Amino acid sequence: SHGMPVAFYNLFIGLLLDRVQLSPRLKQTCMVLALLAFFLPIGLAAKGAAGAPASFPPIGLIGVLGFVGSAVLLLVGTLRTPRS
């Protein structure tokens, strides 16, 4: 269930990333961070399959950090883009 919103988020990033004012390196970083967001549903599924022990490594945290990082970069690029 968590995979579909993450996939939509990646489509959203893909549609907007070429329109914002970011350097090519920051655009590539944003793309990689958005792809890392897929670790969120993978981590949640792995934790559920393991029986949700408290000692399970926080794999989903990688996805959360990727999601937040790419959103921040996209916001920075949007604020830099001149309005017509």
Side-chain angles (χ1 to χ4, degrees), residues 5-50:
V6 174
F8 178 72
Y9 177 72
N10 275 298
L11 280 171
F12 185 72
I13 291 286
L15 288 171
L16 293 179
L17 195 56
D18 65 335
R19 292 175 170 82
V20 296
Q21 294 291 324
L22 288 174
S23 68
R25 184 173 181 197
L26 283 177
K27 285 183 181 182
Q28 186 174 9
T29 303
C30 184
M31 175 196 64
V32 170
L33 287 171
L35 286 175
L36 284 177
F38 276 112
F39 274 95
L40 178 60
I42 291 169
L44 291 174
K47 187 170 183 171

Side-chain angles (χ1 to χ4, degrees), residues 52-67:
S55 63
F56 194 79
I59 299 171
L61 186 61
I62 298 169
V64 171
L65 294 175
F67 182 85

